[in-house]
Amino acid sequence: MAASRCSRCAWLFLVFIYSLYVVVISEEPTPGNEQHASVADNPQTPAETVKQPTEERRWEATQVDETVPDDAAAANKQDLPVPDSVLTSTPPLKDEFQEELVIRPLHSGDIYASFQFRTVWETDFTRGRKVSHYRLFPKSLGQVISKFSVRELHISFTQGYWRTMQWGQPYLPSPPGAELWVWFQDTVTDVDATWKELTNVLSGIFCASLNFIDSTNTVQPSASFKPLGIANGTDHRFLRYATLPREIVCTENLTPWKKLLPCGSKAGLAVLLKSEKLFHSSFHSQAVHIRPVCQDGPCKTASLELRQTLNVVFDLHASGQGKREWSLFKMFSRTLTEACPLASSSKIYIDVTDNPQEDQFELSPATHLLSQAVVLGDRRTFSVYDLTQQVTFGTVRSLNVLIRWKSTEGDMLRPLLHAERYVAGYGLQTGEIHTLIYNNHPFRSFPVLLLDSVPWYLRLYVHTLTVTSKGKDNKPSYIHYQPSKDRMRPHLLEMLVQLPPHSVTEVTVQFERALLKWTEYTPDPNHGFYVGYEHIACHICHKSVLQVRNERIFQMCFSFNCRSSVVSALVPSTVAMNTNITKEQPLFSTFFPAKEESSYFIRVYTEPLLVNLPTPDFSMPYNVICLTCTVVAVGYGSLYNLLTRSFQVEEPNPGLAKRIANVIRKMRGVPPLVAKVFQSQLIQSVQTHKGRLVCVVNFATVTKIAPAVNYAAPMDAGTSAYLQLR
Amino acid sequence: MKLLTLLSLFVTYLVTDCINIENTAGQFFSSGHTNNWAVLVCTSRFWFNYRHVANSLSVYRSVKRLGIPDSHIVLMLADDMACNHRNPKPATVFSHKNMELNVYGDDVEVDYRGYEVTVENFLRVLTGRLPPSTPRSKRLLSDDRSNILIYLTGHGGNGFLKFQDSEEISNVELADAFEQMWQKRRYNELLFIIDTCQGASMYERFYSPNIMALASSQVGEDSLSHQPDLGIGVHLMDRYTFYLLEFLEDIHPASKANMNDLFKVCPKSQCVSTPGHRTDLFQRDPGSVLITDFFGSVRKVEITTEVVNLTDPIEQVDESPANGEAREAMYSYVDQLPVSEIIHQRSEM
């Protein structure tokens, strides 16, 4: 026993001496001192130090790329000795693709399907570096965001209006038409010019009329939109927001959207995206969100995230033939046979929260995988189908998830917040915009930020702005108002309002309609439904964005208990309102970064408005021209005629008696008999004299007729009365 | 003696061979163009003009099937019929009764749509005088080796074509635009097809070389619709384009049908109107011009059996940030609704 102890002591002593020796050596002032320290710190560094020279060289090469023309760069590259290992070994996985489909059966019998495709790329565009190699990330978008120094880009195309009261909150809100908002990097000097160019380029990429976005429908919200990705500061000078409320969404927008996916529409969940089914629906929305996200927990490096989402609500009667039975085939006319081979995860989630005992609906094929996530302040349970597992497809090698209702009962919780808006008033001169915001929470109040962007041709009377809730004046704690300039920029109104519990808050503001120039009208100004491009139409389509910090219904302790009670191994281990966004969570629950655990952030869009502007009758100019021409032709023509035509005096053949009488008079030396002479035979010209028209009478005729006559007789223009001779 | 005959045989063989090669080479380059473009325009708005959209889309379908890629097609549709609220089958546009042929397809790309379809934009596309930030898909990037197909449909009259019911282009403007294209060397040969009432009046004033023009009706004649469908509630196509589509459906990239066959499409017995054509500006014999010279993008390819060694594969550039540039600043997500911050923000009322 003692001997063994002695030997241990000896060992310890030896180790001690050795460590002393190491310390002494390391404390010697060698140039490689720091390197040694790092070796001691990090066991991986030797490998790195070996790699460093090659990496440095490649870094230089890329730097050369940026400065010299292409040919020279290519020559440089060829000259560079390339290590064999780089060529043979596969490049490290720097990008990752996930796909996901969430299906939520709605109480109305409709069904809500939400696709999310997410590509995360461990690269940093923010430092102005040029990236030339693309793998999963679409090159067309990558080039755009690096060329225009875009930090964040959010674009959505939506057809139909999300009915919050029937369907609850969507996973991702979007307004009808097209919406685009972009955060530029702070290196951009001329933001407006860059924004204009960017919209043009995007209109080409997405086959949409985004080039109609100009200064008349672009705003810079001061508080409503914050970066959704990581950011160091929020200077709203680099933010631009615009909507085109009546933008058509159809297959030509879906085609380029699908082309951005790594698998296209050839494999994975995207095979379900067939346009004839997707557009035969009550609501269709497709979006692209690009933002920088944390690469890892401490968030020292950024990755670029591209999220493509597509939300669709199928109608029970239009596409379901009235039967409460839905399947993938019925919804999309396709079934699934494989996951996208490039995807690291490919899952279908079906919301079964309201169906704990399978008394509401039945799911087949049954799955034992369950998942819990907190979405929109509510703990939801999902059945999960993992498409990367071959078991999911069964023996038939195809997956057709079927949901069959057993009972039509069940009630949906009223959504905590929803908003409506309408135009009041009559006539075509003035009107009033009413916005109603409902807080359905029984005992909590919460703040709401309201954003209104109203086109210039509605002139807001800001002094009539009222905010009332429960019959009392509700003073907004923050108001930002930017008045419009005709044909230059729209009105922008932002307000921070506290909504009392269980209340309706009404915001009203009066406006006056402006008259447009006749070239500013659309080609179809009278055609009610389609009119509505903001900058031309007789309709105003604007929307308000509500941002809400909602209190969760569940109490805090409850949710934390739930977190610890999660036992299933395949279920994400985190629960709601987790402030760390990690990759293990389902995609639909990670869109808005949660900062606090007690509240969540949602955005609500009201319906767009249609306001009739006074529209002229566009055939009016022609009518006016025709009428004026007629008047001018008749009036001026007859007068001109009268003045210029020379009439021949036609001597009527006098009767026999008169002829004889004249012969006798001739013999007597008396002038012959002429009874009447028409005025036109006498008039030589017409002149104005002291404001009256004066006829100058043909002297010769007059002297021939009568020796004594009024040489200038006043007369009215156009009269055909003959001159009475004396 | 024998040697001489052998030699002469050899020489004749060589000569004939050379002639053969010349012939094949002549055929190879006979058309004189290297790329194909198409500008397809529907100028009519409103649901009852469904047939005009279907006209343009049927030509779009044909040229795409025969090989012109979407990047070389400029498609202008003045209204959205496929996702119109009156369309009982959304995302479809049919050319035949009983929903037999969906010419809209599943991968259409419309470049100009709705209010963008104006006379100004059309002329700018033709002449290439677009703002610098216009994307490539909205440009006609043709050169002097391009064969261009221009197809117009809508409501027209003697000497004009209406755009969107609010403006019109006259035949003189169109002729001048083509002249400008010719002077700017924007085409090699141009095929102009128009399906409107009194369509022949639109090509009367052309004066630039290498243009062949077809129209659905003579001056003084209406161009008539076809294929009424009770389910959709409107006429689906115009007669001329309907028979043009039927003709083009039988064409494949290797077919030898020529322009004389195209002139015979839709005789008066089928069309009711009299289709017209004009070839006096065109320099080749229409009988030698293949349909695929304009409607397809047939690339002449010679297959080689030799093995070609490709050298270095593409080098993967490492995009990882340099180690030296370690970032001190930590990123963080931004609070979406920082109430206190907003309240204390300086309000710019």
Side-chain angles (χ1 to χ4, degrees), chain A residues 261-272:
Chain A
L261 295 171
C263 288
S265 52
K266 300 286 188 291
L269 290 173
V271 297
L272 301 177

Side-chain angles (χ1 to χ4, degrees), chain B residues 63-87:
Chain B
V63 297
K64 207 168 161 183
R65 186 176 58 81
L66 289 171
I68 303 186
D70 259 322
S71 55
H72 282 209
I73 303 175
V74 180
L75 180 61
M76 305 173 103
L77 299 181
D79 204 353
D80 164 54
M81 295 300 159
C83 290
N84 198 299
H85 296 282
R86 295 191 194 176
N87 194 344

Side-chain angles (χ1 to χ4, degrees), chain A residues 170-246:
Chain A
Y171 295 120
L172 277 170
S174 57
E179 183 198 37
L180 174 68
W181 57 286
V182 173
W183 278 95
F184 291 96
Q185 287 170 27
D186 46 15
T187 51
V188 179
T189 47
D190 189 353
V191 181
D192 285 315
T194 318
W195 164 253
K196 184 65 199 151
E197 267 185 53
L198 176 70
T199 53
N200 273 330
V201 168
L202 289 176
S203 83
I205 291 179
F206 291 104
C207 282
S209 312
L210 295 172
N211 45 333
F212 282 130
I213 291 179
D214 54 13
S215 65
T216 59
N217 46 21
T218 302
V219 291
Q220 284 180 54
S222 67
S224 301
F225 287 87
K226 296 284 174 192
L228 280 176
I230 50 181
N232 281 333
T234 59
D235 186 350
H236 69 264
R237 282 180 300 150
F238 298 102
L239 169 67
R240 290 293 180 279
Y241 174 83
T243 53
L244 294 173
R246 278 292 162 181

